[in-house]
Amino acid sequence: MDTRSQYLGIFLDESRDILQILNTQILRLETQREDRKALDEIFRAAHTLKGIAATMGFSNLAALTHHIEDVLAAIREGQRVVDSFLTDLLLSCVDTLGLIIENIAAGEPEPDVSALIERLQLPGAPAMLAETTQTLPVTGPVTAPASPNANWPTLDQYEQAVAAEAQSRNFRVVWIKIDLVNDCLLKGVRAYMVLNSLEQIGEVIKAVPAVPDLEEERFDLEFAVLLVTKESEAGIRERLCNISEIAAIAMFELAAFDELTTDRGATLALAATAAAESVAAPEIVNAVAAVPEVKERITDDWATQSVPAIAEQPAGHSTRSSPLAASATESSNMATAAAVKRQLIEEQSQRKAARHSIVPREANQRIAPTVRVSAERLDSLVNLVGELVIDRTRLQQVAAEQQIEEISDVIRHVGTVISDIHAVVMKLRMMPVERVFSRFPRMVRDLGRELNKDVQLLVEGQDTELDRLMIDEIADPLLHLLRNAIDHGLEAPDVRELTGKARQGNIYLRARHEGDHVILEVEDDGQGIDVERVKRKAVEYSLLGPEDAARLSEKQALDLIFTPGFSTRDEATGISGRGVGMDAVKAKTMALGGALDIDSQPGRGTKITIILPLTLAIIPCMLTEVGREIYAIPISFIEDAHDFADLAVQTVHEEEIALLRGQSLPLLRLQQVLAVPDQAAIAEAAVVVVRVGHRRTGMVVDRLVGQQEVVIKPISKLVGQLHHISGTSILGDGRLALILDAATLI
């Protein structure tokens, strides 16, 4: 297997995550144009994508992200202003990046991106930033000795001190200028490779531009490095020539310094105060720091490690007045120099470690280690835990039958361990709904512009966790609901203003936990649903007769919008009007074992609620018996249960109604609905009160078997779709239980 194939899956996962970051942060930058944090996040994401694309050999992807970085750099430098045109262009680039990545995933060639790159290079989006490679200002700069090239950078006094000391110890001090090729995609990577190669044969004491600027690619196509080494010029060239995308290498060795400067004391004092910033060879720093004038300027932390005799001398007293004092001075010099050396070596090691680290400098918090695991392996683990749950139930039944205390104790312990394993595995399957929610701000923005509506999407509860299998499945229903809210729900800005509302419409996307359910809500502050119009449309579509439509309650009328082919729009558009979207929402929600609820107030808006179980794998259920068959009702839908004989039951309009706590409760006989035979074998005994959203009903069963965790198994395609059944489960004694779909029964 070649390297590209080996890492393609990881590359695709990382790239898609980066695209989501780019989308989110560009939208954030559009509304908060001075947000430097968002800009930095975009820059880091684009830089990472460019790096991994170039590593994998996807040239078009790397080229486009490279030019995106140029535009971002121009924004950073104040050469471009964030406006609607620029954010549209950047989002268009992100869309193209997504297309390239999907083509790569499908094994298709990368599309051409030259036209988009040309748009990025229009006036105002410079291809390179050429004037950012200036040396930092220092106190009293000293020009380097005359050289054949007058453009070599200058050295400050401390750098000259280090260079002179290095030359006195037979080191060569060499300026090396690197020119990269014009189409270099990874300037920061090439600069890092140059620095890393040079540090293997010496010490880099200066870089122009500075190392952080090199890492962030804040330079044009050339940079210079001052190297202290004993390597020959040919050896240096040989090392650098092994690095790709280098166009030219120029070298200039500094002439020997006879004197550091006219004012030796000032130079050495400056050298001491700058010592903490040095990246010079430790032995050179040691020698410079040992000079008496330097020692006196060492910082307090270092001075405390030296011999204290120096500090105790009277003012004006010469430390060379006696052999003993001279000896103390020499010892102090040596101790101070050693302290300087230790400190600089430590700081130098930290710099190198930071240079090799891919973690941003500001991320100083501890990051928990993570491991990528394929979804197939996780699903296999869940299936094995499901088998353990089934066996646990069987063991518990055997223990109850045999009544052997020793076995019962062991089985209880095993049951506890299996429950803990089950809880951990279920937690592994849970993912935050943010993975889905983060897709929608871009869609809402674009659709609002298309319909000339000012829309704001407000997201709440994105940290709410949901089963991994549901995360992707629920995306389409939420997409349909949001599109409907924008198209049908929100009024045009002028209309909203006339009715006393703000011109900007709000759409709320919420998620939260309620018991064993996850509640997803899509709410708008628009015009609401006209119930009478819904009824008229139902008559037009021949779904109901005029009299039946008139008898519909508001809730029943609102439920009609989920009917296949139903729409309140007179003409279909590219967005809505074909009666497909809401039907798809209901079908997908029911397939996930969930339920729908709708609430609308004319002139104030509409709220549609999706109620989903936490997981599709293992759920607690109430086992009931109807005839000679076992049916499982998810506990999350059950309010309570009652003996049938304790309820006062009446028949109203050919429907059974029970009076429970002063409220009427419609009854549903499962034996009739499910066509269960042997209805006379067992007399009716219990009523299970089930609630889905705002709807309640009492399910009449023959007997309550008991509560039990069941492993959901899908129904085979050979059997086909079974009405009111969401899945099956195997009980501990080997019998089959059918899991009821409470939402379709009510």
Side-chain angles (χ1 to χ4, degrees), residues 36 39 71-82 124 126 129:
R36 183 58 181 261
L39 180 59
V71 175
L72 297 173
I75 298 174
R76 270 183 170 179
E77 299 298 326
Q79 299 175 17
R80 292 210 66 171
V81 178
V82 178
L129 297 178

Side-chain angles (χ1 to χ4, degrees), residues 328-345:
T329 302
E330 183 178 356
S331 299
S332 178
N333 287 343
M334 294 175 61
T336 304
V340 174
K341 180 178 179 179
R342 287 194 300 269
Q343 179 76 6
L344 292 178
I345 290 175

Side-chain angles (χ1 to χ4, degrees), residues 10 66 78 299 305 352 419 480 485 671 699:
I10 298 175
H66 172 69
T299 58
Q305 303 176 50
K352 288 185 177 180
S419 296
H480 286 301
Q671 185 275 330
M699 295 186 179

